[in-house]
Amino acid sequence: MGGDFAPEEIVKGAVKAAEEDDISIILVGPQERLDPLLSSLRVEPLPVSIYHTDQFIRDGEPPAQALRTKRKASMLLAAQLAREGQADAAVTMGHTGAAMISALWVFGTFEGIERPVGGGVPFFFAPETVVLDLGPNVDCKPRQFLQFAAVGVAYARCFLGVDNPTVAILSNGTEEGKGNQQAKEAYRLLKESPFNFTGYVEGWDLAAGKANVILCDGFVGNVLLKFSEGLGSVLSSWLKERVASVAGQDAAETIASELRHQLRVEERIGGGPLLGVKGVMVVGHGRSKAPAVKKAILVAKQAVESGFLQSIEKELASVVSLLKGE
Amino acid sequence: MGGDFAPEEIVKGAVKAAEEDDISIILVGPQERLDPLLSSLRVEPLPVSIYHTDQFIRDGEPPAQALRTKRKASMLLAAQLAREGQADAAVTMGHTGAAMISALWVFGTFEGIERPVGGGVPFFFAPETVVLDLGPNVDCKPRQFLQFAAVGVAYARCFLGVDNPTVAILSNGTEEGKGNQQAKEAYRLLKESPFNFTGYVEGWDLAAGKANVILCDGFVGNVLLKFSEGLGSVLSSWLKERVASVAGQDAAETIASELRHQLRVEERIGGGPLLGVKGVMVVGHGRSKAPAVKKAILVAKQAVESGFLQSIEKELASVVSLLKGE
């Protein structure tokens, strides 16, 4: 029931996933609205069922408060189905904050992870680089960098297919003496860890994807993401005018909009699994139509099939003494 | 004697400034190399003189150490001429680090300023936005944000011609509750200051120039600058290919290189005055040829004529109680 086009596009995307990718779907929402949709799509032989609830979180509701009063919200129930083994994963196009709270309440975080981690592959040009934290963890402690690294290494293995991911800390220079206090202490911890730690990387190394896992404080990650998106907007306006003068209006608009999309990180991050919680929950965009919904479902499938949760657990176990030792 | 094209291009640029902009020039360097250059340029009636020294800092020398052994280095002497009133300002295309140390030794910082500030107008798209700190001050204390603000307000008044510059803190959200610890404390101080403080801005507001003076920790500033430059490089490669397909190779190369230049912040920052020191010292690029040298000299002229130092002093005085009170 989440997202701008629920439930129609959600149902369409889910049915497509069942049809084309051999995935069993449980739709969590009001039976009376889902039934006619399923009928109209004629899904009789497909493994698509309905789990009824008439509560859901609307966009704009304060998520924690809404979830406290709606204990049968579709998002919460979907997570519960996953926890109880009736499903392998939960997928939502709803409010990210509400999804995060649902996942926290229902799954909890891994032992060793203090708070859910914000991360993903933000830069089009560096498709094999996951950056964490991208927002939620501000003023994080150096040991949280170890936690981000464990999650990031699992992410790179399971989603990017990288065998022995390199891990680096974002800093203001590559020499060991560089860095702020936080980066320096994290450096010392990472150096002692079993991760494939390559040291510091700098701002320009982000777009070049110089490491598979790049670690930073969520404050820095948030600023970078939004800066990138802001640049996309001003650069594409400039580019539109500039290209129009040599190749005409149509080509200019196409190229400018491509550029904007390449820097619109929100779209790149979207459809990612929540990180650090002990269950698979994939949050897609509110704007998702059926194809994007199906894509989010496939991300969940990949998380399950690649053993993403087990991989995080294993990486965390490898640094448990460092995490406690600090 | 600093920069890749010294002394020839430096002398040419200086002579041009004397010729076209009514500026008296003292060239600090070896008489035997400068004399023939001046003769060949036939500058007889122009106010261009030579202050002899045969010491200078070479690129690649460790600056502090080099300056300690070369007490008559051209950079140091130029700053001394400015301090003693024989010149109004010093200009160099030499090593930035050496220039900073020279300025610190000779001028010192303003009372109330702990360390020199790194700042300038980094983004082509936001020509009325000065960002500080862009590097030197990592892990800075909240009160340093007040110092950056004082310098930034003076900069915006004197170099950008903005009467009542708006001042904002870069953060991870605009609500007052957002920010890391540092930003939150700086927020409280700025709110009490007489500056035209508008609160937090976010990453995307940088390129949009949402405030005239944007404050951040030098760690964040450094990462942003380099990230922008890194993006310039990958985006321009992408763009070259993309535009070539619709408008041919030549147009593609032109537009791609324009894009790269727009994001190459180093070039935008270059030719700026050192900030926070009690004297005007403008550092241009090592790669500067005569026109860029002249431009750097004009920046120095503008600093002097606009009363940049007095303006910083005045802004600092307006927050002296806040700076002490913390």
Side-chain angles (χ1 to χ4, degrees):
Chain A
M1 295 303 292
D4 302 346
F5 306 107
E8 290 75 10
E9 292 291 323
I10 313 293
V11 172
K12 265 193 225 165
V15 167
K16 262 207 145 1
E19 225 165 43
E20 297 167 8
D21 300 284
D22 193 25
I23 298 173
S24 303
I25 301 284
I26 308 170
L27 298 164
V28 185
Q31 180 112 31
E32 71 280 9
R33 290 188 64 184
L34 300 175
D35 256 342
L37 283 171
L38 284 183
S39 306
S40 75
L41 292 167
R42 296 205 200 112
V43 292
E44 244 354 295
L46 291 173
V48 179
S49 61
I50 294 171
Y51 189 96
H52 172 75
T53 181
D54 45 22
Q55 294 185 353
F56 50 91
I57 308 300
R58 279 170 223 276
D59 208 35
E61 283 186 290
Q65 196 184 320
L67 285 166
R68 258 190 294 272
T69 55
K70 299 180 184 171
R71 306 305 301 224
K72 291 197 171 309
S74 55
M75 220 181 250
L76 268 178
L77 292 187
Q80 276 160 14
L81 290 173
R83 188 191 55 194
E84 290 159 9
Q86 291 178 260
D88 291 304
V91 177
T92 175
M93 306 299 129
H95 188 284
T96 308
M100 183 54 90
I101 295 169
S102 301
L104 257 179
W105 286 0
V106 175
F107 302 131
T109 56
F110 284 101
E111 207 190 312
I113 296 238
E114 275 146 270
R115 300 190 48 211
V117 183
V121 178
F123 304 114
F124 180 84
F125 303 96
E128 294 197 345
T129 296
V130 52
V131 183
L132 341 77
D133 186 282
L134 287 173
N137 292 286
V138 163
D139 282 323
C140 57
K141 306 210 169 53
R143 67 169 176 268
Q144 287 181 271
F145 278 64
L146 266 183
Q147 301 166 21
F148 302 165
V151 173
V153 166
Y155 190 105
R157 281 194 211 281
C158 297
F159 289 102
L160 311 179
V162 181
D163 264 350
N164 185 21
T166 50
V167 178
I169 294 171
L170 182 62
S171 188
N172 59 337
T174 51
E175 311 91 310
E176 197 171 333
K178 288 279 183 175
N180 56 11
Q181 205 50 41
Q182 182 191 53
K184 281 178 189 165
E185 289 174 34
Y187 190 107
R188 278 194 288 274
L189 282 173
L190 264 298
K191 226 174 126 180
E192 287 180 52
S193 79
F195 300 132
N196 185 7
F197 180 57
T198 58
Y200 287 144
V201 292
E202 301 179 68
W204 42 54
D205 300 324
L206 281 166
K210 210 176 167 187
N212 299 117
V213 180
I214 294 184
L215 312 172
C216 63
D217 187 276
F219 184 86
V220 176
N222 177 287
V223 166
L224 279 171
L225 279 196
K226 290 176 180 168
F227 176 60
S228 176
E229 190 158 335
L231 274 184
S233 173
V234 291
L235 283 178
S236 83
S237 301
W238 167 80
L239 190 60
K240 192 151 86 184
E241 221 167 277
R242 198 61 194 75
V243 175
S245 68
V246 294
Q249 206 62 40
D250 286 355
E253 271 176 30
T254 307
I255 295 180
S257 112
E258 281 174 23
L259 178 76
R260 195 169 43 244
H261 281 283
Q262 298 209 350
L263 289 172
R264 184 165 294 165
V265 280
E266 187 199 325
E267 280 172 23
R268 315 220 68 77
I269 297 288
L274 296 179
L275 302 177
V277 290
K278 282 186 296 184
V280 176
M281 184 148 190
V282 172
V283 186
H285 276 290
R287 290 179 307 230
S288 295
K289 296 214 167 183
V293 172
K294 185 188 139 177
K295 215 173 124 192
I297 295 170
L298 289 178
V299 170
K301 188 186 187 195
Q302 190 173 2
V304 173
E305 291 182 348
S306 66
F308 182 49
L309 298 179
Q310 295 78 357
S311 182
I312 294 179
E313 213 157 17
K314 196 184 128 222
E315 299 303 337
L316 279 171
S318 78
V319 291
V320 68
S321 61
L322 277 174
L323 280 172
K324 283 182 182 156
E326 200 206 21
Chain B
M1 293 304 293
D4 303 346
F5 306 108
E8 289 75 10
E9 293 291 322
I10 314 292
V11 172
K12 265 192 225 166
V15 167
K16 260 205 148 1
E19 226 165 43
E20 297 167 7
D21 300 283
D22 193 25
I23 298 174
S24 303
I25 301 284
I26 308 171
L27 297 165
V28 185
Q31 180 113 28
E32 69 281 8
R33 290 188 63 184
L34 299 175
D35 256 341
L37 283 170
L38 284 183
S39 306
S40 75
L41 292 166
R42 296 204 200 114
V43 292
E44 244 356 294
L46 291 173
V48 178
S49 60
I50 295 171
Y51 189 96
H52 172 76
T53 179
D54 43 23
Q55 295 185 351
F56 49 92
I57 307 300
R58 278 170 224 275
D59 208 34
E61 283 186 291
Q65 197 184 318
L67 285 166
R68 258 191 295 270
T69 55
K70 299 180 184 169
R71 307 305 302 224
K72 292 199 171 308
S74 54
M75 219 179 247
L76 268 178
L77 292 187
Q80 276 160 14
L81 290 173
R83 188 191 55 193
E84 290 159 10
Q86 290 178 261
D88 291 304
V91 177
T92 175
M93 308 298 130
H95 189 284
T96 307
M100 182 54 89
I101 295 170
S102 301
L104 257 179
W105 287 359
V106 174
F107 302 132
T109 56
F110 284 101
E111 206 190 313
I113 296 237
E114 274 145 271
R115 301 191 46 211
V117 183
V121 178
F123 303 115
F124 180 85
F125 305 96
E128 293 197 344
T129 297
V130 53
V131 183
L132 338 78
D133 183 282
L134 287 173
N137 292 287
V138 163
D139 283 322
C140 58
K141 308 212 168 51
R143 67 169 177 267
Q144 287 182 272
F145 278 64
L146 267 183
Q147 301 166 20
F148 302 164
V151 173
V153 166
Y155 190 105
R157 282 194 210 281
C158 297
F159 289 101
L160 311 179
V162 181
D163 263 351
N164 186 21
T166 51
V167 178
I169 294 171
L170 182 62
S171 188
N172 59 337
T174 51
E175 310 90 311
E176 195 169 335
K178 287 280 183 175
N180 56 10
Q181 206 48 41
Q182 183 191 52
K184 282 178 189 165
E185 288 173 35
Y187 190 106
R188 279 193 289 274
L189 282 173
L190 265 299
K191 226 173 124 180
E192 286 180 52
S193 79
F195 299 131
N196 185 7
F197 180 57
T198 57
Y200 287 143
V201 292
E202 301 179 68
W204 42 54
D205 300 324
L206 281 166
K210 209 176 166 187
N212 300 117
V213 180
I214 294 184
L215 312 173
C216 63
D217 187 275
F219 184 86
V220 176
N222 177 287
V223 166
L224 279 171
L225 278 197
K226 290 176 179 167
F227 176 59
S228 176
E229 191 158 335
L231 274 184
S233 173
V234 291
L235 283 178
S236 83
S237 300
W238 167 80
L239 190 60
K240 192 151 85 183
E241 220 166 280
R242 198 60 196 78
V243 175
S245 68
V246 295
Q249 206 61 40
D250 285 357
E253 271 175 30
T254 307
I255 295 181
S257 112
E258 281 174 22
L259 178 76
R260 197 170 40 247
H261 280 283
Q262 298 208 350
L263 289 172
R264 184 165 294 165
V265 280
E266 185 200 325
E267 281 173 21
R268 317 218 68 77
I269 297 287
L274 295 179
L275 303 178
V277 290
K278 283 186 294 184
V280 175
M281 183 147 191
V282 172
V283 186
H285 277 290
R287 290 180 306 231
S288 295
K289 296 214 167 183
V293 172
K294 185 188 140 177
K295 214 171 124 194
I297 294 169
L298 289 178
V299 170
K301 187 185 188 196
Q302 190 173 2
V304 173
E305 290 182 349
S306 66
F308 181 49
L309 298 179
Q310 295 77 357
S311 183
I312 294 180
E313 212 157 17
K314 196 183 129 223
E315 299 302 338
L316 279 171
S318 78
V319 290
V320 67
S321 60
L322 277 174
L323 280 172
K324 284 184 181 155
E326 201 205 20

